[in-house]
Amino acid sequence: MTEFFSAVSQKENGTKYAGDVIRRGGLVAFPTETVYGLGANGLDGEAVKRIFEAKGRPQDNPLIMHVARKSDAAKLWRKVNPQMQQLMDVFWPGPLSIISTRSPIVPDEVTAGLDTVAVRMPDNKTALAFIRAAGVPIAAPSANISGRPSGTTARHVMDDFDGRIDVVLDGGACRVGLESTVISMLGRPTVLRPGGVTREMLESVLGPVELSPAVLGQLKAGETAMSPGMKYTHYKPDCRVIVALGGPERAARAISAAYEIEEIKGSKCVIFSSKQTKGFYHGKTCDIIGDRSEPETLCANLFSALRRYSGKADVIFAEAVSETSLGLAYMNRLLRAAGFETI
Ligand code: TXA
Ligand code: MG
């Protein structure tokens, strides 16, 4: 059975109970500022294996370690160089996972056999209290069945895992709504996955930061991913998703034209529009995802909107946004949800 602790009931008891479950090798879903995580004792390889089983996650996709103190992160890497220290000082707690060479205490099950490990300190009170109560680093991927949109509410987590994990801690809806930025600090700093800490923010601290080509593109056959997670299908709802490229007017024209295509006519369609563009789609079903001039609103709503129409709509049309600052993270997730289908 899955124990569910509501935001009110969990304060002391929930996080303490969850910490005990972790030390006994169990699985706990917990809120973070990005998405919900599905956690296990990060120092216990057997416990970590249960995460992969519960999610149906490919074995070669490594997990992120979550800590409640910066000094605990240092124990998980071989060393902390000055640039890594700067990143922790400026962005932690916050949505930034830092990859460097792992220390010997990190089990192979966490890193999928890689010589590196990703670590982050989440900016969420419940998460930090839970990690402190556990007294060990928490290995956690996003709390969703592998390939599906990440969970951003405790309800999403229950939809995917009720009866299959030990505890869910409810902390309300996640503030950022998309997973953390992943930066590799081996060699030249490189963003492997964009998120709430933007490339622009990272460059203001580190100087030039590379962007892995897999961030907006599709890997070609035979290409290896710097981040194993990038080669898998991701964030897919149970329906077709089509991204309309270009500025708002162009995207709106493309979507309206698509409604006239034989293949689309008669299907149940919904348009992910914005405050600015809702007036473009007379008589069509729209869901206002957010405000184009405040991309954080789009990010916060994307996964729950994808889940809302999964298995209910036939086609989701979604407008592209500019790939700068948080727009880069939004487009990274949206294009993957669409399997890179664009008009
Ligand atoms: O915001 C987040 O990061 C959430 C919350 C729960 O903290 N977690 C999360 O985990 O999104 P997950 O497992 O869904 O995504 C982790 C990504 C994957 O793409 C994985 O391949 C990559 O990080 N990753 C983890 N460790 C890595 C490593 N050592 N080298 C390269 N990529 C790594
Ligand atoms: Mg994930």
Side-chain angles (χ1 to χ4, degrees):
M1 205 191 93
T2 301
E3 295 271 0
F4 186 92
F5 287 93
S6 73
V8 205
S9 75
Q10 73 186 326
K11 287 260 163 22
E12 276 297 301
N13 294 339
T15 51
K16 195 171 165 300
Y17 178 86
D20 293 340
V21 167
I22 288 291
R23 282 192 304 279
R24 289 200 302 267
L27 298 186
V28 173
F30 61 102
T32 81
E33 80 282 31
T34 58
V35 299
Y36 276 72
L38 180 58
N41 179 349
L43 301 179
D44 175 351
E46 288 307 310
V48 170
K49 276 188 195 160
R50 295 190 56 213
I51 298 178
F52 285 82
E53 284 160 20
K55 281 194 61 149
R57 183 178 175 99
Q59 297 287 340
D60 65 348
N61 195 3
L63 305 180
I64 295 171
M65 287 284 222
H66 296 70
V67 295
R69 286 179 216 90
K70 294 175 194 172
S71 54
D72 289 340
K75 297 174 199 157
L76 301 174
W77 292 309
R78 200 168 64 202
K79 70 175 206 298
V80 176
N81 68 27
Q83 284 195 315
M84 290 162 68
Q85 188 61 53
Q86 264 181 310
L87 290 179
M88 290 192 277
D89 290 343
V90 177
F91 298 115
W92 281 12
L96 180 67
S97 298
I98 304 172
I99 295 180
S100 186
T101 309
R102 67 163 153 165
S103 82
I105 64 167
V106 179
D108 279 342
E109 285 82 356
V110 172
T111 68
L114 295 177
D115 189 31
T116 57
V117 65
V119 186
R120 87 177 192 97
M121 178 177 172
D123 183 20
N124 177 289
K125 277 201 191 107
T126 305
L128 294 173
F130 155 60
I131 300 166
R132 258 185 246 113
V136 290
I138 301 292
S142 50
N144 52 277
I145 300 292
S146 199
R148 296 285 169 195
S150 303
T152 56
T153 66
R155 174 48 47 202
H156 296 158
V157 177
M158 289 298 272
D159 288 345
D160 283 11
F161 294 111
D162 192 10
R164 300 169 60 188
I165 61 176
D166 301 298
V167 178
V168 175
L169 295 174
D170 183 4
C174 300
R175 175 171 59 82
V176 180
L178 300 181
E179 307 85 346
S180 62
T181 304
V182 176
I183 188 168
S184 168
M185 295 304 287
L186 303 153
R188 280 206 285 206
T190 305
V191 170
L192 306 186
R193 179 177 73 184
V197 172
T198 63
R199 185 188 193 183
E200 292 83 350
M201 289 159 76
L202 291 164
E203 291 194 326
S204 74
V205 173
L206 298 176
V209 169
E210 313 269 313
L211 197 61
S212 162
V215 164
L216 285 172
Q218 217 172 352
L219 284 177
K220 298 187 186 69
E223 253 179 339
T224 47
M226 279 178 80
S227 181
M230 288 195 211
K231 67 178 187 233
Y232 294 109
T233 308
H234 255 141
Y235 320 119
K236 291 278 285 179
D238 190 6
C239 63
R240 188 169 169 193
V241 180
I242 302 174
V243 181
L245 300 175
E249 283 85 11
R250 195 222 156 259
R253 273 199 310 275
I255 291 171
S256 297
Y259 269 71
E260 303 307 319
I261 301 173
E262 233 20 76
E263 183 197 325
I264 302 289
K265 267 187 195 163
S267 323
K268 250 191 278 167
C269 300
V270 58
I271 301 166
F272 284 7
S273 65
S274 62
K275 201 176 133 194
Q276 285 80 4
T277 57
K278 61 175 194 285
F280 290 176
Y281 305 103
H282 295 293
K284 300 189 172 75
T285 309
C286 282
D287 197 314
I288 300 167
I289 304 300
D291 183 333
R292 294 175 72 92
S293 63
E294 293 167 19
E296 63 275 20
T297 59
L298 303 168
C299 295
N301 291 322
L302 179 63
F303 286 146
S304 55
L306 289 171
R307 280 177 174 262
R308 192 150 56 240
Y309 296 100
S310 180
K312 303 210 172 67
D314 299 315
V315 185
I316 295 171
F317 288 102
E319 297 169 357
V321 299
S322 146
E323 286 151 6
T324 52
S325 80
L326 277 174
L328 182 64
Y330 184 77
M331 288 303 293
N332 169 273
R333 306 313 191 277
L334 187 59
L335 285 168
R336 279 173 172 66
F340 294 91
E341 184 173 1
T342 57
I343 51 174

